[in-house]
Amino acid sequence: AMQSKDATKTYLALCDGDGMWNGADYLNKGWFTFDNPVQDENGKYIEDCRTDFQFIASKTMPLKEGDADEGRKITIVLARPHTGRYHQIRQHLSSGTLGHAILGDSSHGRSRTNRLWKKKYNLMKERVCLHLIRLQVPATDYTDDIDVLSPLPPDLKKMLRNFPDLMEQARPILAKEGII
């Protein structure tokens, strides 16, 4: 049922970035479909890879004396993959087109940024900040529809407590999407 093309999986990602990339303002774009090839676990490109994204909130921390400019931005992104390719959401977000690597992603993210987030903002070791937050499976001839919410795990909640204004900014869209 989860692999059904009618199932909707909504993921929440915490990304390195401010919602802008190469002149594109993704925060004000609403839901959009990103269709870009990704590499499978053997490095072969897979063409049919579509994900819907909505960038919903962003924060840039002030630059303090002696700080690097790196690791100061966080964006909350919702993702709904249409296809289930290897690291699809992770590869799409970190692509040169979107430029918002998921925090903690050692395969497709930024190592230095991840180290800063571990040190300053409670990012757990070996943690990719991507979470399946809602699963919707339509009814079949044999079952009722299924709509399951999966709250953020404690470690992500702890990270987000550092940014209460970010969560307030995200709240209206999360409510509209039925996530909170």
Side-chain angles (χ1 to χ4, degrees):
M2 281 185 56
Q3 293 181 352
S4 162
K5 63 183 173 84
D6 297 324
T8 302
K9 294 169 236 160
T10 303
Y11 291 82
L12 185 141
L14 303 180
C15 299
D16 175 29
D18 60 3
M20 302 283 293
W21 187 255
N22 290 335
D25 180 358
Y26 293 112
L27 280 170
N28 291 307
K29 198 168 184 163
W31 282 103
F32 65 94
T33 300
F34 188 71
D35 188 356
N36 216 40
V38 298
Q39 289 182 311
D40 68 13
E41 58 272 15
N42 298 312
K44 181 181 173 215
Y45 280 95
I46 308 295
E47 293 294 326
D48 181 28
C49 302
R50 290 181 332 278
T51 308
D52 290 341
F53 289 107
Q54 184 175 25
F55 286 55
I56 63 172
S58 177
K59 178 172 179 60
T60 301
M61 280 64 82
L63 185 61
K64 296 176 184 163
E65 191 173 327
D67 277 357
D69 191 42
E70 213 169 346
R72 297 179 38 242
K73 300 171 183 177
I74 182 171
T75 298
I76 299 174
V77 179
L78 297 178
R80 289 186 179 139
H82 290 271
T83 50
R85 308 294 185 219
Y86 179 77
H87 291 188
Q88 178 175 321
I89 295 170
R90 294 163 62 178
Q91 289 186 61
H92 278 173
L93 283 168
S94 67
S95 72
T97 304
L98 298 180
H100 281 72
I102 298 173
L103 292 169
D105 188 344
S106 60
S107 299
H108 310 289
R110 300 173 185 101
S111 298
R112 184 174 168 159
T113 298
N114 291 338
R115 281 193 303 275
L116 288 168
W117 276 83
K118 287 173 186 166
K119 183 178 176 183
K120 287 182 159 185
Y121 302 113
N122 305 312
L123 174 61
M124 288 179 57
K125 187 178 180 182
E126 307 298 325
R127 173 56 142 133
V128 176
C129 295
L130 179 66
H131 177 71
L132 176 62
I133 199 154
R134 186 174 188 192
L135 172 65
Q136 298 163 281
V137 181
T140 68
D141 293 339
Y142 308 102
T143 64
D144 293 335
D145 64 317
I146 299 169
D147 191 347
V148 179
L149 292 176
S150 175
L152 286 175
D155 66 302
L156 290 184
K157 285 181 183 178
K158 183 177 179 182
M159 275 182 67
L160 288 169
R161 274 191 222 109
N162 291 299
F163 315 105
D165 48 337
L166 178 70
M167 286 308 293
E168 282 307 308
Q169 183 185 352
R171 190 170 306 284
I173 295 173
L174 293 173
K176 180 181 173 195
E177 292 297 328
I179 293 170
I180 57 169

